[in-house]
Amino acid sequence: MRRGVTIRFEGIGKRFGRRVVMRGIAGQARPGSILVLTGPNGSGKSTLLQILAGLIRPTRGEVRYLDGDGEVPREEWRHRIGMAAPALALYEELTAMENLEFCARVRGLEVDGDRLRNGLVAVGLDPDRPTVVGGFSTGMQQRLKLAQAVLHDPDVLLLDEPGANLDPDGQDWLAEFVRGMAEEGRTVVVATNDRDEMTWGTDRVALPG
Amino acid sequence: MWRFLGETMAVFAKDMRCEFRTRVAFNSLALFAVTTLAAVSYTIGPYGIAEADRPYLLGALLWIVVFFAAMAGLDRSFVKEEETHTAPLLRLAARPLVVWGGKLLFNTVTLALLMAILVPLYVVLMGLSVRTPGWFILVLAAGCLALAVTTTIVAAIVARAMSRGALFAVLSVPLLLPLLVFLIQGTRAAIEGRVPDVLAALRAVVSLGGVMTVASAFLFPVVWHD
């Protein structure tokens, strides 16, 4: 049984130099549900997602990860989080398989060729494709980012504009994929402006522009 | 421990694989090293220095060539991760010390490869004769490691800053200057065959390298995440 993780964030503020990006943002993402972050361009959706991932420290406020045992220590977050975002690029000099293999090794996972291949097939990529990622279309890169995000079977999935660059069939597949992730008990947070993606979750945090 | 080593090797292997496919860092290093070496050998050559001055000047020139090359290419390991936006993925997936270890290994191997090509060329072109080749190689090896340790942590700091090129040089100079002084002293002593002086210089280089290693291990997680 998956141990769900609740993400609680309160009073989140962030400024870059003199520019205030957000102020007093609060919310909660629960296991088995999809939290949608919305807001106009430049409202700080991507920044908030990176704050939730621990990649950026907020200027004010705090983010807490809670599971059945209490608060998850910050150094353990990386084991529990999977993330796909434009800010998280893949290695363009490596093939899709090499990228996944690197992510598995650096996370200390046992490298199982079949598991990596299945991970690529699951997102609609050909594991035998010899092309390096630099030669991929943006849609294919997006699919690979999703494969990388779920490689270590995380409890939390953070997605920034996940449907961007995907064709209509890809967007249908993505909706099913993300709903499936939540149904398996994961906590999913999606930052998006897309009207269809906004309907994925019932929980919502709207960031002011 | 084995898990840490395995993860470190993953970062190192990834960097080597990417480098062999683009050759950005190695080309920068090689370009600077060969250009400086060609300029030095053309203007000074094997007979442009008096016999008595040769050990000191040739030792100093050798480390100047290596230093310039190191400044030109070794910062790429971190700067490239930031510029291509792969650093956040690495931050999310890997432990900070694993990243530092992998990058240090990559910089050490890159510098060692460069020195393996550069030093024999330098010896031939400058007509350098070394009385104690074993100690000479030991000084070079210690220098390679200490230089790699220092440039790795400086590169990590610089990669997080805005004006990268200038900052790398500015931060490196005070850290590398004492190291270079002892390396030049050790190299000169090895050329002249004065083993006790080589040992004294080696002790200083190893001490400085050791201090930088320990300081880097503590400092890197803060630099990497903030």
Side-chain angles (χ1 to χ4, degrees), chain A residues 57 78 87 89 91 93 98, chain B residues 21 80-81 85 92-93 226:
Chain A
R57 282 188 198 279
R78 68 182 191 91
Y91 292 95
E93 302 89 348
E98 287 168 347
Chain B
R21 288 181 186 168
K80 188 168 163 280
E81 299 274 6
H85 304 291
L92 206 57
D226 282 314

Side-chain angles (χ1 to χ4, degrees), chain A:
Chain A
M1 183 67 187
R2 178 176 297 280
R3 280 195 313 168
V5 171
T6 299
I7 309 172
R8 240 176 241 161
F9 49 103
E10 288 170 340
I12 301 291
K14 181 67 189 173
R15 63 164 67 217
F16 292 107
R18 285 177 158 187
R19 192 167 65 92
V20 177
V21 179
M22 69 184 76
R23 188 178 285 164
I25 305 296
Q28 175 172 290
R30 296 167 293 127
S33 72
I34 300 173
L35 171 68
V36 180
L37 307 178
T38 63
N41 292 336
S43 59
K45 299 185 296 294
S46 301
T47 304
L48 179 58
L49 211 60
Q50 289 186 59
I51 288 171
L52 296 185
L55 289 171
I56 298 178
R57 282 188 198 279
T59 314
R60 283 171 185 269
E62 64 168 358
V63 180
R64 298 169 72 200
Y65 278 49
L66 306 162
D67 67 5
D69 299 331
E71 188 158 352
V72 180
R74 201 180 164 87
E75 56 270 23
E76 278 183 29
W77 285 16
R78 68 182 191 91
H79 299 298
R80 314 290 286 269
I81 298 172
M83 186 174 184
L88 259 75
L90 297 159
Y91 292 95
E92 295 198 343
E93 302 89 348
L94 304 181
T95 65
M97 269 298 271
E98 287 168 347
N99 263 290
L100 281 199
E101 190 183 326
F102 167 66
C103 288
R105 283 191 196 282
V106 89
R107 283 185 179 280
L109 304 176
E110 204 161 304
V111 176
D112 176 351
D114 287 339
R115 185 177 165 190
L116 299 183
R117 293 174 71 85
N118 291 341
L120 288 176
V121 172
V123 295
L125 291 174
D126 176 5
D128 296 319
R129 192 183 172 98
T131 319
V132 293
V133 169
F136 277 22
S137 68
T138 46
M140 288 163 73
Q141 288 191 17
Q142 185 64 9
R143 287 170 185 265
L144 182 56
K145 284 181 185 181
L146 289 166
Q148 170 275 128
V150 297
L151 179 69
H152 53 294
D153 192 21
D155 293 319
V156 174
L157 195 56
L158 305 175
L159 305 173
D160 189 3
E161 306 282 359
N165 307 312
L166 290 181
D167 54 35
D169 285 345
Q171 288 177 356
D172 291 343
W173 163 82
L174 178 69
E176 219 169 286
F177 176 84
V178 173
R179 286 197 183 104
M181 288 286 146
E183 278 164 15
E184 287 173 16
R186 290 182 182 83
T187 308
V188 182
V189 183
V190 181
T192 186
N193 269 330
D194 184 277
R195 288 183 199 284
D196 289 335
E197 288 173 10
M198 283 183 201
T199 64
W200 289 352
T202 48
D203 299 339
R204 193 169 298 186
V205 171
L207 281 84

Side-chain angles (χ1 to χ4, degrees), chain B residues 83-95:
Chain B
E83 284 178 351
T84 56
H85 304 291
T86 49
L89 175 68
L90 209 49
R91 265 184 208 106
L92 206 57
R95 289 184 272 179

Side-chain angles (χ1 to χ4, degrees), chain B residues 29 63 66-67 70-71 73-75 77-78 100-113 115 140-156 168 172 175-176 179-180 183 205 208-210 212-213 216:
Chain B
L29 283 164
W63 283 107
V66 172
F67 173 75
M71 290 297 99
L74 294 185
D75 62 333
S77 55
F78 280 106
W100 174 71
K103 299 287 183 189
L104 173 60
L105 203 54
F106 172 77
N107 279 348
T108 307
V109 169
T110 306
L111 196 56
L113 280 173
M115 287 172 77
L140 291 176
C144 172
L145 255 174
L147 266 178
V149 168
T150 310
T151 47
T152 300
I153 189 65
V154 174
F168 187 60
S172 298
L175 293 174
L176 288 173
L179 187 65
L180 282 172
L183 283 171
V205 170
L208 279 172
M212 279 310 298
T213 307
S216 300

